[in-house]
Amino acid sequence: MHSNHSDHDDSTDTTAAVEPTLQRLRDHPRPALVWTGVATVLFALEFGAVASLVSELWQALGFGVQSSGLVERANAIPTLTSRDLITNSGHFDGDRWVGTFAGLEPRTAWVLRVAIVYAYAVAVVGWCWVGYRRYRRHYRPAEWTPFDDIVDRLRRHRWGQFGMVVVFLFLVLAVFAPTLGTTTVDQNINNPFGHQIEYYDAETGSVESTTVGAANRQTQSRGIPDRNVGPLSYDQYGRYHPFGTLPSGKDLFTFLAAGARVSLVISLLAVGLASVIAVSFALLSAYYKGLVDLVFVIGSDSVMSLPQLLLLMLLSVLFSDTWIGQLYSGGILLALIYGATSWPFLWRALRGPALQVGDEEWIDAARSYGQRPITTMRRHMFPYVTGYLLVYGSMSLGGAIIAIAGLSFLGLGISPPTPEWGRAVDAGQQYVASQSWHISLIPGLLITLVVTGFNALGDGIRDAIDPQAESGSTDSQGAAVGGGA
């Protein structure tokens, strides 16, 4: 009887909370209509890129394994930032560039495409900010909420803003990787001998053709002057390389852009799984306490007593030949292992706030009223730990990226030829002190910058949510969460 009454109250409260907003929407429809119209235009301009990301996630989860052409069909959908619209692939015929966008040289065409991609991303962020401002001004029933203070404090937090910029650049690189690369992954990495390119031969004065694989063999970076293609340079086939080439002759920037998407997908899956486990266990510990909490304490201590990196190495090798080890080049297996072994770090960070709210009088009142435990945890306890989850979750993403890169550096984790940042560092470690220094240094700097960015963003969110927090204790918890691997 109590349960049915509780469900009825839930639906009644939800309706009562939404009705004022709907009434304001009916009274002032213009701001919402304009904002929705802009959203439609922005989405239509990049539907192909969104479809590409969704299809890759679909395949990563194992649902699209039988549809081998799913990603290719999604990439073929024309968009504003399409490679076919602003192409940098072409050749010099002795007089001018042929095949590139508007006859521009490849470097200029590529820079233009990158600028348009990031301009579009900035427009999307601006659209989200305008939407929040319009909702706050026209449709929100309350004149003020605590979230307003959080946003205002974050706008003044320079270190957090630095993290936001770095994370933004990384996310755009990952989402638009097929567009931002100077060439395609299929042509540069997966099947170089299955694609032809044309180039101008100065000796014969004519345009010749060869396979991408054969051209890569002549543009390898091996640490000596006549075997090196450094950053911001062209090779002898007229191909522009912003970050230079790998020892295999493949374009490093394209490799890193595709690797950013791989790292993002795996990190999100791993941290998402760890977050679900950690939040569930923290709420159960705080609600039931006693024996339930003791079981989770013992379980977390048992998992944390084992070296996480060693577990990742052993389990990834043990299950590499199974069907799940074949999904997303082993990325799904890596995400599951990381999530299943890193939840104690998140759980320990969330357990304290959950226990604190679990001792409040309204939780006892809800229990005595007969409200279902899952409803109490969802409505009255979970919102309280959400802010802490954002802080430590963002830091955990940095830890996941380091763990994935570390395994790839050791030759484990993501199986070749799928690009991953750690593999690039490994490929260039023997050339660090040579003219091919860029192979290891650039991906190493990117890993450091991205991880620092996620940590800075976590610091900013923490200080915005709780400006009175003791930085020392929180930083030590954040370090444990972010560096669990």
Side-chain angles (χ1 to χ4, degrees):
M1 184 67 179
H2 286 301
S3 177
N4 293 336
H5 185 61
S6 175
D7 292 340
H8 176 71
D9 287 346
D10 286 349
S11 61
T12 302
D13 292 344
T14 302
T15 303
V18 173
E19 184 58 34
T21 301
L22 295 178
Q23 183 60 44
R24 288 171 176 255
L25 185 60
R26 288 189 288 265
D27 294 339
H28 305 281
R30 180 178 174 81
L33 290 176
V34 173
W35 185 78
T36 304
V38 174
T40 304
V41 173
L42 290 174
F43 181 78
L45 290 175
E46 285 301 314
F47 175 76
V50 176
S52 174
L53 180 61
V54 172
S55 62
E56 186 163 334
L57 288 173
W58 186 259
Q59 283 192 333
L61 294 174
F63 298 112
V65 177
Q66 302 301 324
S67 303
S68 58
L70 186 62
V71 176
E72 289 76 8
R73 290 195 297 270
N75 289 334
I77 301 176
T79 65
L80 172 67
T81 56
S82 172
R83 300 183 57 85
D84 296 330
L85 180 63
I86 308 177
T87 178
N88 64 299
S89 299
H91 64 275
F92 190 71
D93 65 356
D95 182 42
R96 59 188 178 86
W97 288 97
V98 178
T100 60
F101 175 74
L104 299 173
E105 65 172 289
R107 173 174 52 195
T108 305
W110 174 78
V111 170
L112 177 62
R113 189 169 70 237
V114 171
I116 291 178
V117 167
Y118 276 95
Y120 174 84
V122 170
V124 172
V125 173
W127 167 78
C128 294
W129 174 250
V130 170
Y132 163 72
R133 299 285 295 181
R134 292 197 173 191
Y135 169 74
R136 179 178 174 177
R137 178 179 179 181
H138 298 286
Y139 305 115
R140 192 176 66 187
E143 293 294 331
W144 172 89
T145 66
F147 184 74
D148 297 340
D149 288 344
I150 293 175
V151 173
D152 292 339
R153 284 192 290 266
L154 190 57
R155 292 176 65 184
R156 298 190 299 267
H157 199 287
R158 299 307 179 203
W159 180 239
Q161 289 174 2
F162 166 77
M164 291 176 63
V165 171
V166 172
V167 171
F168 169 77
L169 295 175
F170 171 71
L171 292 178
V172 174
L173 179 64
V175 173
F176 294 96
T179 300
L180 292 175
T182 56
T183 182
T184 65
V185 173
D186 186 58
Q187 179 177 351
N188 184 62
I189 300 173
N190 295 336
N191 187 25
F193 288 96
H195 294 81
Q196 295 276 336
I197 60 170
E198 294 183 333
Y199 67 98
Y200 178 72
D201 191 336
E203 295 183 358
T204 61
S206 61
V207 177
E208 307 289 343
S209 65
T210 184
T211 64
V212 175
N216 288 346
R217 288 179 175 177
Q218 302 301 317
T219 58
Q220 298 173 341
S221 294
R222 296 284 184 175
I224 53 179
D226 59 341
R227 298 298 299 273
N228 182 70
V229 179
L232 305 178
S233 61
Y234 287 90
D235 61 24
Q236 60 264 42
Y237 296 95
R239 300 179 300 177
Y240 180 65
H241 303 283
F243 287 173
T245 64
L246 290 162
S248 61
K250 299 174 181 178
D251 181 66
L252 178 58
F253 183 87
T254 302
F255 187 93
L256 295 180
R261 174 175 286 197
V262 173
S263 296
L264 177 64
V265 171
I266 298 174
S267 300
L268 287 177
L269 290 176
V271 175
L273 175 61
S275 299
V276 171
I277 298 174
V279 169
S280 301
F281 288 177
L283 295 180
L284 290 172
S285 295
Y287 187 85
Y288 292 105
K289 302 182 179 67
L291 181 61
V292 174
D293 184 48
L294 179 62
V295 170
F296 290 141
V297 169
I298 296 175
S300 66
D301 288 343
S302 300
V303 176
M304 293 179 67
S305 65
L306 301 173
Q308 189 181 24
L309 183 58
L310 181 60
L311 276 178
L312 286 169
M313 295 172 60
L314 292 177
L315 294 178
S316 61
V317 172
L318 181 62
F319 294 100
S320 60
D321 293 332
T322 62
W323 66 271
I324 197 172
Q326 308 302 317
L327 299 179
Y328 204 57
S329 302
I332 299 300
L333 174 63
L334 195 58
L336 292 176
I337 297 173
Y338 187 88
T341 56
S342 63
W343 67 264
F345 302 96
L346 271 175
W347 175 79
R348 283 182 172 271
L350 300 178
R351 177 174 174 266
L355 287 173
Q356 182 178 357
V357 72
D359 291 333
E360 297 292 343
E361 294 180 355
W362 65 76
I363 302 300
D364 294 333
R367 185 184 290 110
S368 62
Y369 181 69
Q371 191 174 63
R372 292 184 302 172
I374 189 173
T375 303
T376 302
M377 288 185 281
R378 175 175 56 85
R379 295 191 59 192
H380 303 299
M381 300 174 67
F382 176 69
Y384 187 83
V385 302
T386 301
Y388 297 92
L389 180 61
L390 290 175
V391 172
Y392 298 115
S394 63
M395 293 179 177
S396 296
L397 283 171
I401 291 174
I402 289 180
I404 296 167
L407 287 176
S408 298
F409 178 81
L410 297 174
L412 304 172
I414 306 301
S415 57
T418 302
E420 211 290 314
W421 288 4
R423 186 173 297 115
V425 176
D426 175 59
Q429 61 175 328
Q430 60 180 313
Y431 306 111
V432 171
S434 69
Q435 293 189 354
S436 299
W437 52 265
H438 61 277
I439 302 174
S440 280
L441 181 62
I442 293 178
L445 289 176
L446 286 178
I447 293 172
T448 303
L449 182 63
V450 170
V451 172
T452 303
F454 276 111
N455 288 336
L457 178 60
D459 289 341
I461 296 175
R462 178 204 63 203
D463 293 342
I465 293 176
D466 186 8
Q468 303 300 323
E470 296 183 6
S471 298
S473 60
T474 309
D475 285 341
S476 62
Q477 289 178 343
V481 174

